[in-house]
Amino acid sequence: AGDVVKVGKTVELEVLDNRFETTGTRYGAMYVLQVANATVSRNTIAGASGYGIYLAGSGGDIQGNRLRGAAVGIWLDGSSRTAVSGNRVTASDTWGIALQNGSSHNDVSRNSISGSGQFDLLWDETGEGNRWTRNRCGTSNPPGLCEP
């Protein structure tokens, strides 16, 4: 099995108001690669064996999504100028929301993350200018990204 939604090399993508129950997918529910200005909003994702939402792009908006039971809830991989806000991520196997591989100038705010296997919020500290505000969660790496 493959991804449920897989998009690459495009501009102005919108994925809105969907419900995905994706047990057994190879990578995850949404795979958005080299996309500028992606909007992923108000989706419900349950049971993704990989990531819930994977973004490698710039200028995105990931907001108001509900994710449960993915390996990684929301993963920004080398992404920039993306807003990740108002999402609810529960029971991720490893990380609830992760920024890695040079992700820079992103705004991660007002998310609720709980029950992640390793960390609710993860940043590998390779990017710069990321803002972490008003995220309700219990664990983060580095420490201090969560607000109780």
Side-chain angles (χ1 to χ4, degrees):
D3 303 299
V4 174
V5 174
K6 183 175 184 177
V7 179
K9 297 184 181 180
T10 191
V11 177
E12 301 295 333
L13 170 72
E14 290 187 342
V15 182
L16 309 172
D17 302 307
N18 296 287
R19 180 175 182 85
F20 302 100
E21 296 203 19
T22 60
T23 57
T25 59
R26 181 174 177 194
Y27 297 108
M30 284 189 216
Y31 181 79
V32 183
L33 179 65
Q34 296 177 346
V35 174
N37 303 318
T39 299
V40 179
S41 296
R42 301 179 309 270
N43 298 288
T44 299
I45 299 169
S49 57
Y51 40 76
I53 299 169
Y54 172 90
L55 176 67
S58 64
D61 189 10
I62 300 174
Q63 69 173 2
N65 298 288
R66 303 292 175 254
L67 299 98
R68 179 179 41 83
V72 177
I74 298 170
W75 181 9
L76 272 58
D77 186 9
S79 296
S80 63
R81 297 180 318 279
T82 297
V84 180
S85 64
N87 299 288
R88 183 177 185 152
V89 183
T90 58
S92 296
D93 292 343
T94 55
W95 315 310
I97 298 175
L99 274 63
Q100 294 184 302
N101 302 319
S103 290
S104 296
H105 305 287
N106 298 293
D107 183 10
V108 181
S109 63
R110 298 181 342 267
N111 297 288
S112 175
I113 310 103
S114 63
S116 301
Q118 292 180 8
F119 298 104
D120 292 329
L121 293 177
L122 173 75
W123 175 40
D124 67 2
E125 300 184 77
T126 59
E128 62 183 22
N130 294 307
R131 292 183 11 167
W132 305 83
T133 56
R134 298 177 55 199
N135 294 293
R136 296 185 55 163
C137 53
T139 59
S140 71
N141 186 18
L145 303 178
C146 295
E147 294 182 18

